């Protein structure tokens, strides 16, 4: 099973603490180019260096900022590649329990969620056109498309490798069960987004969405014995979001097709995915991939 791939001779939880620290350091190193670029631009224009991190987004042009912002995840990916060697594993071992990565699963989850996002955005545009500003500009958008396809895929894959892969297996090794790694990684994933500008704008209630999404991704990982579905879903969520709609208060400031100019509020749209859409997706995935024995796969014990 997926979590039991961490049960290797000599593999201990302290190695995951060390590995997590090394991945964090790699991520911080990857943030240096953005910091340097902002410093150079401010120096050249004789402007003060931004004090608040979010103000960094307004110094450079959007596409360059977007690329440099996600570059840290590319460096973190290199860190993950070497960290798994501490555990005598390969990258594949923290992605899936199958002999090979099943890319058809990735594509299926990506397609389902991408189509859903595109349809809901179109419906939102035609039902409330006053909430959207046409933001499309061909050349910046084409540049964004190239950057997003590569860098957003890396960013979402890194987050999945860390939470649904590396640490989920690590906490499974520590707790010897499945529900502890599921809950710990889901809450941790949600808290990772606490500093996002969306939380500041919408309030703490939006954490229901982030933690609920982490729980959903953890469930499909455990039920499917691999991360292919969660990686596909996560990639579609961030990629389509970055390409279709931006706003002044979103984490990604991009040259997207639309700009949301409405006054945001955290209400039904926060709970809709978690309590309605995600259960429907779980049902769809379970039927397609013949998931059974839910209680054992989500809460059962792990035997060395």
């Amino acid at each position: 099973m997926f979590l039991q791939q961490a049960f290797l001779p000599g593999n201990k939880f302290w190695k995951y603490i060390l590995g997590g620290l090394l991945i964090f350091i790699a991520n911080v190193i990857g943030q240096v180019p953005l910091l340097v670029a902002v410093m150079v631009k401010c120096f050249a224009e004789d402007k003060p260096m931004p004090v608040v991190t979010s103000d960094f987004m307004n110094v450079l042009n959007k596409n360059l900022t977007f690329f440099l912002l996600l570059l840290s995840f590319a460096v973190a990916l290199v860190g993950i590649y070497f960290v798994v060697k501490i555990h005598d594993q390969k990258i594949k071992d923290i992605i899936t329990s199958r002999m090979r990565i099943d890319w058809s699963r990735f594509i299926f989850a990506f397609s389902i969620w991408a189509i859903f996002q595109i349809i809901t955005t179109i419906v939102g545009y035609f039902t409330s056109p006053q909430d959207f500003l046409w933001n499309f500009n061909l050349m910046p958008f084409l540049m964004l498309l190239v950057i997003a396809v590569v860098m957003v895929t890396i960013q979402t894959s890194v987050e999945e490798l860390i939470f649904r892969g590396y640490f989920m297996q690590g906490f499974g090794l520590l707790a010897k069960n499945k529900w502890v790694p599921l809950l710990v990684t889901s809450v941790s994933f949600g808290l990772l987004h606490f500093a996002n500008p969306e939380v500041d704008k919408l309030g703490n209630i939006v954490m229901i969405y982030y933690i609920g999404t982490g729980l959903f991704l953890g469930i499909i990982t455990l039920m499917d014995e691999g991360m292919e579905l969660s990686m596909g879903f996560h990639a579609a969520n961030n990629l389509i979001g970055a390409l279709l709609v931006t706003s002044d208060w979103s984490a990604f400031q991009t040259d997207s097709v639309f700009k949301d100019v409405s006054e945001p509020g955290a209400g039904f749209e926060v709970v809709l995915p978690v309590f309605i859409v995600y259960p429907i997706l779980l049902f769809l995935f379970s039927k397609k991939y013949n998931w059974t024995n839910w209680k054992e796969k989500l809460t059962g014990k792990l035997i060395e």
Side-chain angles (χ1 to χ4, degrees):
M1 292 186 296
F2 179 65
L3 293 186
Q4 285 185 297
Q5 292 185 151
F7 287 76
L8 298 170
N11 201 15
K12 303 296 182 181
F13 186 72
W14 68 263
K15 292 185 177 182
Y16 289 91
I17 299 175
L18 173 62
L21 178 61
L22 294 176
I23 294 170
F24 174 77
I25 292 173
N27 183 266
V28 171
I29 293 173
Q31 296 174 26
V32 172
L34 175 60
L35 177 63
V36 171
V38 171
M39 290 176 62
V40 170
K41 183 70 177 295
C42 290
F43 179 79
E45 297 181 353
D46 196 24
K47 294 181 178 179
M49 187 72 176
V51 178
V52 182
T53 305
S54 59
D55 291 341
F56 278 47
M57 305 300 105
N58 302 317
V59 176
L60 309 172
N61 76 67
K62 290 182 179 179
N63 278 330
L64 179 58
T65 301
F66 189 57
F67 172 78
L68 293 176
L69 184 67
L70 298 182
L71 184 61
S72 62
F73 291 92
V75 180
L77 180 60
V78 176
I80 294 171
Y81 175 81
F82 288 103
V83 161
V84 294
K85 294 182 180 298
I86 297 175
H87 308 271
D88 293 322
Q89 288 180 303
K90 300 176 181 178
I91 285 286
K92 194 276 297 181
D93 297 330
I94 63 171
I95 294 177
T96 186
S97 59
R98 285 169 272 276
M99 293 295 295
R100 289 177 294 275
I101 298 172
D102 187 350
W103 292 108
S104 67
R105 279 172 153 83
F106 178 96
I107 294 170
F108 179 73
F110 182 96
S111 301
I112 289 292
W113 196 240
I115 292 170
F116 176 82
Q117 285 187 291
I118 292 170
I119 291 175
T120 53
T121 300
I122 293 173
V123 170
Y125 176 73
F126 282 104
T127 55
S128 303
Q130 71 278 3
D131 292 340
F132 294 88
L133 179 67
W134 183 255
N135 193 54
F136 182 76
N137 193 328
L138 180 59
M139 292 311 297
F141 179 81
L142 291 178
M143 183 64 71
L144 169 65
L145 179 62
V146 173
I147 295 172
V149 167
V150 177
M151 300 304 292
V152 171
T153 303
I154 291 175
Q155 177 243 328
T156 56
S157 296
V158 165
E159 289 188 6
E160 290 305 303
L161 286 168
I162 293 173
F163 288 98
R164 256 65 63 182
Y166 186 69
F167 281 127
M168 184 170 275
Q169 288 187 355
F171 280 104
L173 179 69
L174 176 67
K176 303 295 188 298
N177 62 45
K178 301 174 184 178
W179 65 267
V180 167
L182 174 60
L183 292 182
V184 170
T185 56
S186 299
V187 173
S188 300
F189 177 77
L191 293 178
L192 176 72
H193 296 81
F194 190 77
N196 281 18
E198 291 92 339
V199 178
D200 183 58
K201 188 69 175 181
L202 300 174
N204 292 341
I205 190 174
V206 78
M207 294 303 296
I208 295 175
Y209 169 75
Y210 287 124
I211 295 176
T213 299
L215 184 62
F216 166 71
L217 295 173
I219 289 173
I220 62 177
T221 296
L222 292 182
M223 291 303 303
D224 203 48
E225 299 290 357
M227 289 187 350
E228 293 96 335
L229 292 176
S230 68
M231 289 173 68
F233 174 94
H234 200 162
N237 188 73
N238 288 25
L239 178 60
I240 302 302
L243 294 176
L244 279 187
V245 184
T246 189
S247 68
D248 291 332
W249 45 269
S250 59
F252 288 162
Q253 301 286 318
T254 64
D255 291 303
S256 57
V257 177
F258 298 108
K259 182 175 182 179
D260 185 348
V261 294
S262 65
E263 183 59 33
F268 184 67
E269 61 272 17
V270 172
V271 300
L272 174 66
V274 176
F275 296 106
I276 298 178
V277 180
Y278 292 168
I280 293 174
L281 286 177
L282 286 174
F283 177 78
L284 175 63
F285 290 149
S286 69
K287 292 301 180 183
K288 181 172 177 60
Y289 298 111
N290 300 313
W291 293 347
T292 57
N293 201 12
W294 289 66
K295 183 178 179 180
E296 170 61 27
K297 286 192 172 183
L298 298 180
T299 65
K301 294 182 178 180
L302 292 172
I303 308 300
E304 292 191 48

